[in-house]
Amino acid sequence: MVKLILFDIDGTLVLSGGAGARALARAFSELYEVSEAMTGIVFAGCTDPMIVRDIFRVKLGREDRPGELQRVLDRYLLHLPEEVGRAEKAAVLPGVEALLAALSPRADVLIGLLTGNIEPGARIKLGRFGLDGYFGFGGFASDSEDRDEIARVALARGRQRAGRDVPAEDAIVVGDTPRDISCGRAIGARVLAVATGPHPKTDLAAHAPDWLLQDLSGTTAVMELLLDGEAARSRWP
Ligand SMILES: [Mg+2]
């Protein structure tokens, strides 16, 4: 049996210390002379293209035109490495490095990404901490703007990599927002929610994930949950 474990990035694996928002704000400032492009924009759990389209509507009062989304994202990617590099509050979240190191060598586990980041942005954010090498596959906002569809892509790529038809219930989505929970549900996967992003446990509990943790520290217990969740469930506080 193979478990597919699909990790969200922002608020789940790492905090980018606002680097993504600043890189996008710089893109809008340079291309459209919009100041404070991110003020009042909700972005946790949203895909990069959704955020860009939202800024067009809120700050420019119109929809983006053909080619504009790509132009903004290209400019965003230009600034992202510098912003990620200098973000003082950027950090790997508790337990993440130990967990990835423990999962990675196992033959019965495949770890991938399931993120609202476009793939090059995802690699830049994880690369700052040397974590990108853990993830050979994933679903990204460069595959679809819709998180449920990104989840389908991630699952399909995981199955391809496993070389077999892994049942959806053997996939586990790990994320920090209600959108992570709902996209996991959309593909029939289990969901482990962590309160290391903007949502406290009480918020996340209302969306009924299979498991809910404060963070990913305590590698042995988290591994047990991921690999034998039903057994772990009965013992979990
Ligand atoms: Mg997140």
Side-chain angles (χ1 to χ4, degrees), residues 8 10-12 176-177 180:
D8 169 60
D10 301 290
T12 300
D176 69 307
T177 70
D180 295 291

Side-chain angles (χ1 to χ4, degrees), residues 191-214:
V191 180
L192 165 59
V194 287
T196 38
H199 297 274
K201 279 174 97 172
T202 44
D203 270 19
L204 296 167
H207 297 269
D210 293 279
W211 306 282
L212 176 57
L213 297 176
Q214 187 58 44

Side-chain angles (χ1 to χ4, degrees), residues 8-14 44-46 115 147 174-177 180 197-198:
D8 169 60
I9 295 178
D10 301 290
T12 300
L13 295 176
V14 301
C46 297
T115 172
R147 207 175 183 97
V174 185
D176 69 307
T177 70
D180 295 291

